[in-house]
Amino acid sequence: MKSRRAGPPPRRSGWVVVMSAFFIMGLTTGVFKNFGHFFLDIQCHFGVPTSTTSWVSSTTIAMFHLGAPVASMLVVQFSQRAVIIVGGLLTGSGMFLASLDLGLPWLYLTMGVLQGLGISLSWIPANSMVSHYFVRWRPIAYAIASSGECVFAVMFSPFFQWLIEVYSWQGALLIIGGLQLNLCVCGALMTPLETVQSPLQETKDSLEGDATALPPKRKVIFQCSLMRKPELFLYILFAIFSAPGFFIPPLFLVPFATSLGMDNYWPAFILSILALSDLAGRLICGWVSNMRLMRNLQLLAMVVTLLGVVLLLLPVCHNYWVIVVFTSLYGFLFGCVVSIHVTSIVDIVTLEGFDNALGLFMLFRSIGGFIGPPAAGWLVDETSDYSAAFYLSGLCPILSAVFVVLVDHLVQKRKAAEAEDCQVIRQEDWEEGKLK
Amino acid sequence: MHPNAVMLAVVLLGNLMLPFISAQNEPKINASDQIILSADSASKPVTLLCNLTTAQTPHTESFWMKNGLEIANTRTEQRNTAYRITKPRADDSGEYMCVYTFVMAPNANATIEVKAKPDITGHKRSENKNEGENAMLYCKSVGYPHPTWTWRKVDGTSYTDIDNSTGRFFITNRDNYTELNILNLDINTDPGRYECNATNMIGNNAETTILRVRSHLAPLWPFLGVLAEIIILVVIIVVYEKRKTPDDIIDDDEPVGQMKTNSTNNHKDKNIRQRNTK
């Protein structure tokens, strides 16, 4: 069945959307991943211990996740373009105000709250836009867009170092704030889809064809009914349990490597390997998932299980090269999970509920992200061994894979049921046609 | 002979002999001469020798000390003791002492000085500070005897002494460490290369640090440049979209706001068509 939306965008502007999303993801998460460069200077400037300075990035993460449902509500109410532009203004102003250097609490407010909110208001609509614009090429489009995060994170690392050295950290924040205003430019490129509904290839939507033909469509701002769907509920559980597998290893890899006796140069190299294999994982997995060899959720379950297994095996190796191999495997699988887990949301709740579901997904994933690292840290302190952190972060994804399998099963059941209903309605129509 | 004269002679002789006798009682150590380490003899090993020649009481053991601290694993019971430095470097220089311990007498020692040119081990390659802030440049060295420090400003090949007419420069010198503090940095006169020079009787060594002073307004220019770029791009995009919109009314395939009602009607028709044909 040919999927023709009313007024589909021409192919060229679709790829403009992907490039724009690439830049948006880079200018938001890529900048955030390099916050660490500022820590030493901020710490010296205010004379506070490391834990106090790290609250800045914790606040940013918190606002990013808490802002996610807000962003998705705004996207449904207004267009993605407007929300991204607002997000861009918030991030830019956050950095600009932070550069005024009016005290440490001021930094929490600007670099933490404003920046985090702005990042979330830009990142969520970018995801949403890519998912709405593409049907057949969605996995690979999303993979290319999300690779922006890796590419920019790697590029910005030496760039930020140089900026801080030449312009001091306040000057660097000012310039980065200006660069982040480019988010508004990217947002301006995201021409909103004026079409009414999602592609007709979803049989569920074709049943509601009459409803969608009534203009104007009433947009539900926040679909609480989404939460009652068992599929989404289980997927959110997956989000919570897989989060430790994402957030814990990057924090503990470098201390683990150092504890094995490697000196300072090698552990930093491990992080670069992680970033590069992450990039490779995202692109390759996006391409594989596009080939539609198996369902997205099946692929996701496989990849998440492998991720857990790799993490469980990581503490066993003590040789440097074996650790490098395992780290690159982990990075690759991490990239795979990232590239599939957002596009899978469309399979679960269809494009209609995607925006809200994404917001909920991010919000609940943050629970795992907040509990995970401190729990791992506590385990490491209790056992005086970094392996405990990796065992924890390996077991959780394996457990979450169970939820993915359940979700897949439920989604398949639902689709089978809908296909049956569709057959019944067609039968009735045909019979009606015969009578007329 | 008068008995007083005899007693006087005995006392005088005794006094004359006393230092001789006490010298006889004091242990005598033969120690090697002072050693000067130089760059060309850096790879040749150096040996310090001590030999206990005379001692009233037998000694228990001997060990070596460097700069007042005992060196580990040097305790031995031999009279002849040697300390070997296989690859002498500047930080191997110092005041070495071989110490002999006795049961019923105080320790005896001999000092051998190992001298070398000072080697500067710690300094900042560059220091970047904002205008008006304070800068601290330092140099650390190893070597014996302890050097005297001087600071100079380097301009290419010419050296100038630091001009403290403004009273903002403070130099603190300690044995193997020196600090140059500059208060209230001036962006016009202070930036440049500063050299710390360590000199002792054997030789000297120097290292330079580059001091850069950042102006408060420096980041403003790139920021305004980026802002200009953003405004230009946004204007281009807005103009492009405004110019594209009139063309879209003709084209059926382009997604446009004005087309909304038309497209929903088509949508409905297509839907009905599909249902009826299948």
Side-chain angles (χ1 to χ4, degrees):
Chain A
M1 178 159 77
K2 202 168 149 195
S3 71
R4 285 193 60 196
R5 290 171 296 199
R11 281 299 109 191
R12 58 175 169 79
S13 73
W15 295 103
V16 168
V17 165
V18 168
M19 287 323 292
S20 165
F22 180 88
F23 279 97
I24 290 178
M25 303 231 190
L27 286 170
T28 49
T29 40
V31 164
F32 169 70
K33 277 186 172 175
N34 284 305
F35 264 13
H37 291 294
F38 288 96
F39 278 1
L40 205 59
D41 290 83
I42 293 177
Q43 204 184 323
C44 292
H45 186 79
F46 291 108
V48 288
T50 330
S51 51
T52 322
T53 345
S54 66
W55 273 106
V56 174
S57 74
S58 304
T59 320
T60 318
I61 300 179
M63 286 314 298
F64 177 50
H65 285 98
L66 291 174
V70 173
S72 31
M73 282 193 257
L74 288 174
V75 162
V76 173
Q77 175 75 355
F78 308 101
S79 70
Q80 288 97 341
R81 173 191 254 179
V83 181
I84 296 177
I85 292 180
V86 169
L89 288 172
L90 278 177
T91 49
S93 62
M95 289 301 221
F96 171 74
L97 291 171
S99 75
L100 294 178
D101 186 19
L102 295 174
L104 194 58
W106 178 250
L107 266 189
Y108 292 147
L109 206 67
T110 52
M111 253 174 109
V113 173
L114 275 181
Q115 174 83 350
L117 199 61
I119 287 179
S120 139
L121 285 182
S122 303
W123 193 85
I124 300 274
N127 271 326
S128 156
M129 203 59 168
V130 170
S131 298
H132 280 277
Y133 246 81
F134 290 90
V135 175
R136 206 178 134 235
W137 297 98
R138 187 181 296 137
I140 210 173
Y142 181 74
I144 295 177
S146 76
S147 66
E149 181 185 324
C150 305
V151 170
F152 273 87
V154 167
M155 262 172 36
F156 276 165
S157 184
F159 179 59
F160 278 22
Q161 288 267 41
W162 177 79
L163 272 182
I164 295 175
E165 208 182 278
V166 175
Y167 292 107
S168 85
W169 66 270
Q170 295 99 328
L173 281 178
L174 183 68
I175 295 173
I176 294 167
L179 286 174
Q180 285 192 309
L181 284 177
N182 276 305
L183 287 168
C184 298
V185 173
C186 297
L189 281 172
M190 303 270 208
T191 38
L193 276 174
E194 291 297 351
T195 58
V196 197
Q197 230 354 291
S198 48
L200 295 174
Q201 71 180 31
E202 307 280 1
T203 37
K204 184 179 177 196
D205 285 2
S206 70
L207 291 172
E208 296 168 11
D210 270 336
T212 57
L214 298 169
K217 170 116 174 78
R218 276 190 329 276
K219 286 182 185 172
V220 184
I221 304 293
F222 189 70
Q223 298 186 0
C224 287
S225 58
L226 272 182
M227 279 297 292
R228 285 189 222 121
K229 279 189 182 177
E231 303 104 46
L232 188 64
F233 182 69
L234 286 173
Y235 199 67
I236 284 179
L237 283 179
F238 153 73
I240 298 176
F241 278 96
S242 64
F246 293 163
F247 292 113
I248 298 179
L251 292 176
F252 286 94
L253 261 176
V254 174
F256 175 64
T258 331
S259 76
L260 289 179
M262 298 175 202
D263 44 330
N264 282 329
Y265 174 64
W266 295 112
F269 188 53
I270 285 183
L271 286 178
S272 316
I273 292 177
L274 201 65
L276 285 171
S277 50
D278 183 4
L279 179 66
R282 287 184 201 213
L283 291 173
I284 291 176
C285 210
W287 177 65
V288 165
S289 139
N290 210 58
M291 292 199 291
R292 303 273 151 86
L293 295 171
M294 59 179 87
R295 294 188 295 273
N296 272 345
L297 287 167
Q298 284 177 318
L299 191 60
L300 184 64
M302 263 174 50
V303 172
V304 166
T305 318
L306 279 174
L307 185 86
V309 168
V310 166
L311 282 172
L312 284 176
L313 289 176
L314 194 96
V316 172
C317 50
H318 289 274
N319 181 14
Y320 175 68
W321 290 110
V322 182
I323 289 190
V324 166
V325 166
F326 271 97
T327 313
S328 44
L329 269 177
Y330 167 70
F332 183 80
L333 291 167
F334 179 91
C336 288
V337 175
V338 167
S339 78
I340 312 178
H341 76 348
V342 171
T343 42
S344 306
I345 297 181
V346 181
D347 293 337
I348 300 172
V349 293
T350 75
L351 208 55
E352 220 186 286
F354 173 78
D355 297 319
N356 287 309
L358 182 63
L360 287 171
F361 177 84
M362 297 295 296
L363 178 67
F364 284 102
R365 192 175 82 161
S366 66
I367 296 176
F370 290 146
I371 299 179
W378 177 79
L379 268 176
V380 168
D381 287 335
E382 287 291 304
T383 59
S384 325
D385 186 10
Y386 283 108
S387 317
F390 289 103
Y391 293 142
L392 176 70
S393 54
L395 280 173
C396 290
I398 294 180
L399 187 63
S400 65
V402 172
F403 291 116
V404 175
V405 170
L406 283 173
V407 171
D408 185 39
H409 179 71
L410 284 173
V411 167
Q412 288 306 105
K413 246 176 56 177
R414 187 193 75 198
K415 284 197 174 154
E418 283 165 10
E420 271 184 35
D421 288 345
C422 194
Q423 283 280 20
V424 169
I425 290 180
R426 284 192 205 124
Q427 277 255 341
E428 289 174 359
D429 282 351
W430 183 75
E431 277 162 19
E432 270 176 46
K434 271 175 75 179
L435 290 173
K436 283 181 185 163
Chain B
M1 256 165 119
H2 200 259
N4 283 347
V6 174
M7 265 195 350
L8 195 62
V10 169
V11 169
L12 276 172
L13 208 61
N15 275 338
L16 279 172
M17 284 190 53
L18 200 63
F20 186 61
I21 291 167
S22 41
Q24 290 277 35
N25 286 337
E26 271 180 25
K28 246 186 167 167
I29 304 172
N30 239 357
S32 49
D33 288 330
Q34 74 166 15
I35 295 171
I36 296 177
L37 302 172
S38 60
D40 27 312
S41 68
S43 48
K44 282 195 292 193
V46 148
T47 318
L48 309 172
L49 294 162
C50 266
N51 192 4
L52 184 64
T53 46
T54 49
Q56 290 303 101
T57 51
H59 71 287
T60 44
E61 57 177 8
S62 65
F63 59 90
W64 287 88
M65 289 174 85
K66 179 183 171 186
N67 295 332
L69 293 170
E70 180 180 338
I71 306 172
N73 303 327
T74 52
R75 287 201 177 229
T76 165
E77 287 178 358
Q78 294 174 342
R79 287 190 98 132
N80 236 332
T81 173
Y83 181 67
R84 192 182 163 89
I85 307 171
T86 35
K87 286 198 182 133
R89 294 191 315 250
D91 61 346
D92 288 317
S93 62
E95 226 180 41
Y96 285 85
M97 275 197 314
C98 55
V99 182
Y100 289 87
T101 57
F102 299 93
V103 180
M104 300 287 272
N107 293 353
N109 59 50
T111 310
I112 306 172
E113 286 181 319
V114 178
K115 295 183 180 171
K117 203 165 83 157
D119 200 7
I120 299 186
T121 51
H123 76 290
K124 277 190 212 171
R125 203 165 284 168
S126 74
E127 176 83 332
N128 301 325
K129 286 278 180 200
N130 290 336
E131 215 180 345
E133 281 184 347
N134 303 336
M136 194 267 283
L137 307 175
Y138 70 90
C139 285
K140 278 188 203 158
S141 77
V142 289
Y144 180 84
H146 299 302
T148 47
W149 293 97
T150 46
W151 283 93
R152 297 189 291 191
K153 205 161 172 220
V154 185
D155 266 322
T157 48
S158 61
Y159 294 87
T160 44
D161 284 326
I162 293 177
D163 169 24
N164 201 7
S165 52
T166 50
R168 294 178 296 116
F169 292 78
F170 295 95
I171 300 178
T172 345
N173 289 335
R174 285 199 291 273
D175 275 341
N176 272 335
Y177 179 74
T178 182
E179 220 176 71
L180 170 65
N181 280 301
I182 312 175
L183 304 177
N184 198 9
L185 286 167
D186 180 319
I187 196 171
N188 298 315
T189 57
D190 290 339
R193 299 162 67 101
Y194 287 83
E195 185 195 75
C196 64
N197 187 316
T199 315
N200 69 5
M201 60 193 306
I202 312 298
N204 67 16
N205 225 327
E207 288 287 355
T208 41
T209 309
I210 302 175
L211 177 68
R212 294 193 198 99
V213 183
R214 299 185 279 232
S215 112
H216 285 303
L217 291 178
L220 210 61
W221 303 114
F223 176 68
L224 291 175
V226 172
L227 218 58
E229 166 246 325
I230 290 168
I231 293 175
I232 292 173
L233 283 176
V234 170
V235 164
I236 291 176
I237 292 172
V238 167
V239 165
Y240 180 68
E241 292 226 331
K242 285 260 151 53
R243 291 179 66 196
K244 241 181 65 159
T245 329
D247 299 337
D248 282 348
I249 297 175
I250 308 165
D251 240 316
D252 267 342
D253 289 347
E254 304 286 298
V256 170
Q258 291 96 310
M259 284 266 296
K260 198 170 179 178
T261 42
N262 287 346
S263 53
T264 43
N265 285 339
N266 286 342
H267 194 190
K268 189 176 176 181
D269 288 337
K270 279 177 200 160
N271 243 357
I272 296 171
R273 249 185 277 126
Q274 279 180 333
R275 279 213 196 144
N276 286 339
T277 48
K278 284 203 179 156

